[in-house]
Amino acid sequence: MLLWVLFSIITAAVLLAILRPLARAGGEGELDERLFDREVYRDQLFELERDRQRGTIATSEAEAARHEIARRLLKTDGTAHAPYRAEGALRRLALVASIVALPVFAVSFYLLRGSPHLEGVPYALRLANAEANRDFHALIVKVENQLAAHPTDAEGWRVLAPAYRSLGRYDDAARAYAGALTHGKPDATLLSDRGEVLVMAAQGLVTGEAAQSFQDALKLDARNPKARYFAGLALLQEGKPEEALRLWQALLRDAPPDAPWRALVESQIAGAGGQQQGRMIASMVDGLAQRLDRDGNDLDGWLKLARARMVMGETDKARAALDRASALFKSDSNAMVRIEELRRELN
């Protein structure tokens, strides 16, 4: 019962907020405007008489102007307000009827077509029936709750990772894949899937962490197609198109004719080294630079950015990236050694 009362109050408040300006737009507003006009016309009569006395206007012209102003003044006076008062009354009556009729109509329609007798579904019950009802979001929450209680459940992480990926939560998917790998048996498929979501999170750039994941996958399965493809993409982004082409051509030779990813690899081979590929690489490099501006605690990212700038002939930007990395990692001696090694290559 309390819920229905609350709904009624909310409905009345919304209707009042919507209809109140409309109620004021006609009756009171038009009356105020006519009162204003009346004062203006009276002032005009006063000014006209003063001009006549000063002799700045002829008597005949003054009389004609007085008659016209008087005619207009009469329109704003006396019974002239009656139509507007009647119209305002009708408008207010219509608004009151709307305030009453709309909620009544809504409630009646719901009682006729809706299901007011059904009880709300408790959150716990929704989670319990998530799988049977194919409630995707509730299923994710259910698995998350299970993993909170049992964080070493590798199978739970394995289920959660692709769910996160389908929602575009690539960082969460990468952490879920890492959980599956940490608490389960090393798997080339899991490693390549983790590398792929890291690439997605970096807007198409194969970061150092992603490249390492693909290399680890290839150590377990040298023929893993996803790891081979992204390893080639990493080479291309590092300015090594010949090595990337060799890797992709070998991948196609080993692939079955109906492999769903064959067309993708063929298009990469066709575009390697071309202008379109160059634009794609430039876009990826810019994306990496933007990510590092937001979170610069990624030494491999800075080194990769500097190398990419060098390959693209952007020497000044490469030096700027190394300078920024030096400032961020000046207290890390191992990091400074790697930065200076790359700086010597640049010079």
Side-chain angles (χ1 to χ4, degrees), residues 6-18:
L6 179 60
F7 283 164
S8 300
I9 294 173
I10 293 174
T11 302
V14 172
L15 286 171
L16 182 62
I18 294 173

Side-chain angles (χ1 to χ4, degrees), residues 62-63 77 79 82 89 95 99 103 106 113 167 188 191 247 261 267 270 297 303 307 327:
E63 286 298 323
D77 206 353
T79 58
L95 292 175
I99 293 175
R113 295 292 185 179
L167 295 176
L191 284 163
L247 196 156
W261 41 262
S267 66
N297 192 27
L303 297 178
R307 288 194 184 94

Side-chain angles (χ1 to χ4, degrees), residues 26-45:
E28 294 181 5
E30 291 172 357
L31 183 57
D32 291 342
E33 183 178 349
R34 287 180 167 271
L35 290 173
F36 174 78
D37 290 345
R38 191 187 315 161
E39 293 302 318
V40 170
Y41 294 145
R42 286 175 176 171
D43 288 341
Q44 287 178 351
L45 286 173

